[in-house]
Amino acid sequence: EDLTFLALEANHLTGNLDSLALLQQLQHLYLQDNQFTGTIDYHWMTTLINLRTLDASNNLLEGGIPYQLLELSQLQVLDLHDNNLSGTIESVTQNVDTLQYLFLYNNRLTSSIPDSMANFRNLKHLDLSSNQFVGTIP
């Protein structure tokens, strides 16, 4: 339960991410290049209040991007590119000061880019390429 860094990238791991809720001290989580499935469930994210880096790119994750993930108070890097994410990026409900890098390219995200993206005050790199967004740029 005291684990702060977990790197499991480039394996053949499968299943969902629900068991991560037990790692409440986790700060850096690297799961890229595996075969994880399922959705990003906001329930397990509410226990990961210290999470600073989440890289779950190049997996088989589905569903949308819950705002609770984007609003994690310590999160600086979120990389979910090259998954099967679909649906929307939920609008954040508050200002987000910590998130600096957001990579969601090569998914199947739809709808419009939420106006609340303006609430990401310190965002340095945003990549939403190769999705199915419509509408205007907020």
Side-chain angles (χ1 to χ4, degrees):
E1 292 183 2
D2 291 334
L3 189 67
T4 61
F5 182 98
L6 179 59
L8 297 171
E9 68 262 27
N11 283 289
H12 299 282
L13 299 172
T14 61
N16 64 42
L17 305 179
D18 293 345
S19 62
L20 297 174
L22 302 174
L23 303 174
Q24 296 180 5
Q25 299 303 315
L26 203 58
Q27 294 179 16
H28 303 280
L29 179 58
Y30 298 93
L31 302 173
Q32 67 268 30
D33 302 317
N34 280 288
Q35 293 148 14
F36 289 112
T37 57
T39 60
I40 301 171
D41 186 0
Y42 74 89
H43 293 292
W44 64 259
M45 289 179 287
T46 59
T47 65
L48 300 178
I49 60 172
N50 297 307
L51 194 63
R52 295 180 183 176
T53 304
L54 173 57
D55 188 343
S57 60
N58 199 23
N59 278 284
L60 303 171
L61 299 173
E62 300 174 328
I65 311 293
Y67 76 89
Q68 293 91 342
L69 175 59
L70 299 170
E71 290 182 355
L72 284 173
S73 64
Q74 302 297 316
L75 191 64
Q76 298 172 354
V77 178
L78 177 59
D79 191 346
L80 297 173
H81 79 270
D82 284 300
N83 275 286
N84 292 323
L85 297 173
S86 59
T88 63
I89 302 173
E90 291 184 14
S91 293
V92 295
T93 60
Q94 60 191 11
N95 290 330
V96 178
D97 293 326
T98 56
L99 192 63
Q100 297 177 28
Y101 300 92
L102 179 57
F103 304 99
L104 299 176
Y105 61 91
N106 287 343
N107 280 290
R108 294 178 295 143
L109 296 167
T110 59
S111 191
S112 59
I113 299 169
D115 290 338
S116 66
M117 291 298 261
N119 293 348
F120 297 106
R121 296 181 186 189
N122 293 311
L123 200 60
K124 295 178 181 176
H125 191 120
L126 173 64
D127 194 338
L128 302 176
S129 306
S130 299
N131 279 286
Q132 299 169 5
F133 292 116
V134 296
T136 60
I137 298 171

